[in-house]
Amino acid sequence: MDESGKSLGLRSEITPHQLPRNLKWENFKFGMLVCHQSFIGKKSICSDFLIEHHYSADIDWEINCLKASQKTIYLPFILSKYLTGGFSVKNLRASLLDRFTILKKHFGFWTTVISHFYILLRGLKFIITQKSKYW
């Protein structure tokens, strides 16, 4: 939603991210797939948010939850509505560096470098084809 409360559409429809029906932690290699507002984890497998990741603790938390889970369930309805332009977007550079650190921890340095190159190309393609802001 924008700041006036107008719906902008489903995240999975207005971004180039495809939400897999059987979500796994490996799916996060190319960035955040599920906003933390719409991610429900079973308490017994959820780790704490790591506060040293000021900008991207949510992606680290989701990956940790998925690593500990034995199954995921896709919910075919809107679970949450949220405002665009949140904390990480307002602090984009720091957020991208924080996300790189987190993904490097889970996927390794070179995989993360290659993934971020792909993320950059995907974002540029989205900007050109959709004539819309990506970051």
Side-chain angles (χ1 to χ4, degrees), residues 1-9 11 14-15 35-38 58 78 80-90 133:
M1 302 186 74
D2 68 14
E3 291 187 17
S4 71
K6 177 185 170 209
S7 177
L8 300 173
R11 183 176 193 262
I14 62 172
T15 67
C35 63
H36 67 272
Q37 297 92 332
S38 291
D58 52 355
I78 297 172
S80 67
K81 295 180 181 182
Y82 64 96
L83 292 173
T84 60
F87 182 70
S88 58
V89 173
K90 292 178 181 162
K133 208 166 80 166

Side-chain angles (χ1 to χ4, degrees), residues 29-41:
K29 179 170 58 172
F30 298 115
M32 189 71 149
L33 287 177
V34 181
C35 63
H36 67 272
Q37 297 92 332
S38 291
F39 187 96
I40 301 172

Side-chain angles (χ1 to χ4, degrees), residues 113-125:
V113 168
I114 292 166
S115 295
H116 276 74
F117 184 69
Y118 172 81
I119 292 166
L120 174 65
L121 292 176
R122 179 182 67 193
L124 292 173
K125 179 183 175 193

